[in-house]
Amino acid sequence: MSENSVVRDEPIAVIGMACRIPGASTPDEFWQLLRNGESAITEIPDDRYAAQLRDAGIRRGGFVREVDTFDPEFFGISPREALAMDPQQRLVLELCWEALESAGVVPARLRDSRTGVFVGAIADDYATLTHQRDRSAITQHTLTGLNRGLIANRVSYALGLRGPSVAVDTGQSSSLAAVHLACESLRRGDTGTALAGGVQLNVAPDGFLAAARFGALSPDGDCFTFDARANGYVRGEGGGLVVLKRLSDALCDGDPVLCVIRGSEANNDGGGDSLTTPAAEGQAALLRAAYERAGVEPSQVQYVELHGTGTKVGDPVEARALGEVLGTGRPAGSPLLVGSAKTNVGHLEGAAGITGLIKTVLALVHGELPASLNHESPHPAIPLADLNLRVQTGLGEWTPDEDAPRRAGVSSFGMGGTNVHVVLEQGPVAESAEAGGQPSVAAGVVPWVLSGRGGAALRGQAERLRAFVAARPELSPVDVGYSLALSRSAFSHRATVVGADREELLQSLEDLASGVVPGAAISSGPTAFLFAGQGAQRLGMGRELYEAFPVFASVFDEVCGGLDRHLDGSVRGVVFGGDAGALDRTVFTQ
């Protein structure tokens, strides 16, 4: 195949995601932060070496809460080993579980499958802290606990996954490079399902000091992306992961398709003015290749999530490449909209690309473009009008012209010149149950099943579910019950709440969360059958189930058909009839 040949990329579906970033512990919380135009940048907390960093002139950053908390037994890890583990390993384990749950995938069903794990990670803060202590801090678990390569391997081991398991380090583009590699693995058939993303936790002062002395940090403690005040970035931390499948497989399996990755590409600048100086030619080549592989005309893209660090050199280079490839071929009155999540949460470095990707997926799903903060006047070296670019400075509806699908690009660039760009498109519109001819479900008592590895975990699940449903009045109780029964792991401590309506179910969840003692399931044992005997029968019993649930009706008819061959009469006719005397005849009663 010649170097100029273009192979169209098979579309990849994003079916689930999870994140833990400044100001947000879930994608829903991240979306609210973005939609409200909020910044999660704060003064450096005292437990993050605030005094030492203030002495160096560093006062602000983006931080996640409770990076020191972890439930090791949930993942089969001893407390002693957990203490020696890099918190980045612990966070990625949690995010993978949450991402699979968001996709409706029970992790146990992936065991022994060709599921791949691709995680971008560039920081070794916990190793730095460990080695600064005396040698007694080195234990039998230190080698595995501090090895960055094991961040992905931990997930593969914990979930029993047999696909590729790769830690990726391309600098600040690592997490988006991990997504690109996961897509390539899916297209080759090496992987059936992939978990991809990145992690960055800034738990030692050294990373702050190194970035400051390199000249990368903003003295103001904010990212002024594409703005005249651009003078560096503010550091952030956290992590994010997406669950990926080939689109054809996702549709066949009935997975929730949040959006589609039409194509992706990675390259290197191949030499600029210095090792760390970006080159517009390299970025422009990346963009052209990405859109060729995706089969998308650059003029069809409505929004690009920038790398957008807010540096004096980097921003103008990125703008020039975007203008050359995506801006100049557009109608004059239809500029390319651009923005950067770094203005909200800081530069997450090893997890920066996945943060921008998750932001853009959320925007595609909700049909809105949130504001890029801190933009008042363009950088003097970025002629926005000439490049046909416009910074998205407010919350706006995302409505493409002529019924075109929403399309976007996401960029992430590494300090050493490794660049990645991903082309996204809104997911296919799912048919409603009514349009698909599915029968409606009659009102009645609905069960919601919950479980946890312990009583406290189960009560926590009840509280989280109550808060989730209470904030979403549009949710159907039946749909919630279906998802809980079929797309959640069943642990040893279990409880079921029942209710005839939403309010009754929410009250039952509140009772469970406040301390009702749950039951513990028996892991194994003999099977028993219980027959009610006589006296439980009544006219019309089962009629509501029969009318509401086709599966129940089909089985009921099948059983009645088998019995009726041996009886003088119809079981269904007697049960659903009006003659109580006939129902009390022993032959029908039993």
Side-chain angles (χ1 to χ4, degrees):
M1 183 180 295
S2 71
E3 188 174 328
N4 294 326
S5 298
V6 176
V7 178
R8 295 283 184 260
D9 278 348
E10 180 177 358
I12 301 297
V14 179
I15 65 171
M17 55 190 183
C19 68
R20 197 95 82 253
I21 57 176
S25 297
T26 66
D28 283 345
E29 290 181 7
F30 187 26
W31 178 245
Q32 288 307 311
L33 182 145
L34 292 166
R35 196 174 187 278
N36 295 337
E38 298 173 355
S39 169
I41 304 304
T42 64
E43 294 293 313
I44 295 175
D46 290 338
D47 62 355
R48 298 296 186 94
Y49 307 94
Q52 183 177 345
L53 293 176
R54 278 196 297 269
D55 290 342
I58 306 166
R59 298 180 175 276
R60 288 163 57 80
F63 300 92
V64 297
R65 300 183 299 272
E66 299 177 336
V67 297
D68 57 338
T69 62
F70 181 63
D71 182 1
E73 294 181 5
F74 184 90
F75 296 101
I77 298 169
S78 72
R80 186 183 297 274
E81 183 173 9
L83 285 173
M85 288 170 57
D86 186 335
Q88 294 180 135
Q89 289 191 23
R90 306 197 297 248
L91 178 56
V92 168
L93 282 169
E94 294 172 342
L95 290 173
C96 283
W97 191 277
E98 293 168 15
L100 290 171
E101 283 200 332
S102 79
V105 176
V106 177
R109 294 175 189 165
L110 295 178
R111 183 165 294 277
D112 295 328
S113 70
R114 291 286 298 173
T115 297
V117 184
F118 302 81
V119 182
I122 69 174
D124 286 314
D125 282 25
Y126 199 65
T128 299
L129 294 177
T130 300
H131 293 310
Q132 284 175 350
R133 299 170 62 189
D134 61 58
R135 291 183 178 177
S136 64
I138 300 175
T139 71
Q140 68 186 94
H141 301 300
T142 299
L143 182 64
T144 54
L146 301 184
N147 190 316
R148 241 190 299 146
L150 266 70
I151 292 178
N153 301 161
R154 281 277 185 194
V155 176
S156 300
Y157 173 76
L159 302 184
L161 311 178
R162 297 189 180 274
S165 187
V166 182
V168 180
D169 185 352
T170 61
Q172 291 75 8
S173 59
S174 295
S175 59
L176 206 60
V179 172
H180 170 66
L181 292 174
C183 292
E184 296 289 275
S185 183
L186 286 163
R187 293 184 183 109
R188 287 195 305 268
D190 297 340
T191 302
T193 301
L195 290 151
V199 65
Q200 173 88 25
L201 290 178
N202 304 323
V203 297
D206 303 56
F208 285 92
L209 297 173
R213 291 170 186 171
F214 180 76
L217 297 189
S218 165
D220 302 294
D222 276 308
C223 289
F224 297 102
T225 301
F226 278 29
D227 191 82
R229 296 167 291 168
N231 58 1
Y233 64 81
V234 58
R235 296 188 86 208
E237 67 174 6
L241 287 160
V242 291
V243 184
L244 307 174
K245 292 178 77 170
R246 288 178 291 273
L247 178 60
S248 56
D249 292 341
L251 294 175
C252 180
D253 295 340
D255 295 315
V257 179
L258 302 177
C259 80
V260 175
I261 297 176
R262 288 287 302 271
S264 60
E265 188 60 271
N267 77 354
N268 194 278
D269 287 340
D273 292 340
S274 72
L275 172 65
T276 60
T277 301
E281 295 79 7
Q283 293 181 17
L286 170 82
L287 295 170
R288 291 192 189 94
Y291 288 99
E292 281 186 285
R293 288 191 66 179
V296 173
E297 287 295 325
S299 60
Q300 296 175 331
V301 177
Q302 300 109 26
Y303 174 78
V304 166
E305 174 66 16
L306 303 165
H307 180 64
T309 54
T311 57
K312 294 179 180 179
V313 175
D315 280 10
V317 168
E318 182 173 10
R320 197 174 104 201
L322 282 171
E324 180 181 331
V325 180
L326 284 89
T328 54
R330 314 169 70 82
S334 180
L336 175 70
L337 300 175
V338 297
S340 174
K342 293 177 178 65
T343 62
N344 302 92
V345 297
H347 187 352
L348 270 64
E349 298 175 352
I354 192 65
T355 303
L357 181 73
I358 290 174
K359 169 191 170 179
T360 311
V361 173
L362 290 167
L364 286 165
V365 169
H366 291 282
E368 292 181 311
L369 284 172
S372 190
L373 307 183
N374 307 328
H375 186 80
E376 295 178 357
S377 58
H379 190 291
I382 302 178
L384 291 174
D386 294 342
L387 297 171
N388 211 4
L389 308 177
R390 187 175 76 205
V391 177
Q392 179 73 20
T393 56
L395 178 68
E397 190 175 356
W398 192 348
T399 52
D401 295 332
E402 300 177 357
D403 298 323
R406 293 188 283 273
R407 291 193 179 103
V410 181
S411 291
S412 191
F413 308 141
M415 180 183 292
T418 295
N419 311 311
V420 186
H421 190 80
V422 175
V423 183
L424 302 180
E425 186 175 281
Q426 70 180 94
V429 178
E431 292 185 7
S432 66
E434 184 176 346
Q438 297 296 323
S440 60
V441 178
V445 174
V446 175
W448 286 357
V449 295
L450 299 94
S451 72
R453 291 197 186 275
L458 180 54
R459 287 189 287 273
Q461 288 275 44
E463 173 55 33
R464 286 190 292 274
L465 179 61
R466 188 204 64 78
F468 181 86
V469 175
R472 294 165 176 80
E474 73 279 5
L475 289 179
S476 159
V478 173
D479 289 343
V480 173
Y482 178 90
S483 296
L484 290 170
L486 297 184
S487 65
R488 288 294 182 270
S489 298
F491 297 115
S492 57
H493 284 69
R494 304 177 188 176
T496 301
V497 299
V498 295
D501 55 35
R502 167 190 171 84
E503 287 68 30
E504 189 174 347
L505 286 159
L506 288 173
Q507 182 60 53
S508 297
L509 286 174
E510 186 174 334
D511 293 340
L512 176 59
S514 63
V516 175
V517 178
I522 298 173
S523 58
S524 62
T527 301
F529 295 90
L530 176 66
F531 295 90
Q534 296 182 194
Q537 74 278 4
R538 60 179 173 80
L539 288 176
M541 62 191 298
R543 182 186 292 276
E544 291 182 1
L545 286 172
Y546 187 91
E547 293 174 348
F549 299 101
V551 174
F552 177 87
S554 174
V555 175
F556 188 91
D557 289 342
E558 182 182 353
V559 172
C560 288
L563 292 172
D564 289 351
R565 293 197 297 269
H566 308 284
L567 300 173
D568 181 19
S570 163
V571 174
R572 183 174 61 186
V574 170
V575 174
F576 290 169
D579 187 349
L583 184 61
D584 287 339
R585 288 172 52 198
T586 299
V587 65
F588 289 112
T589 298
Q590 294 196 339

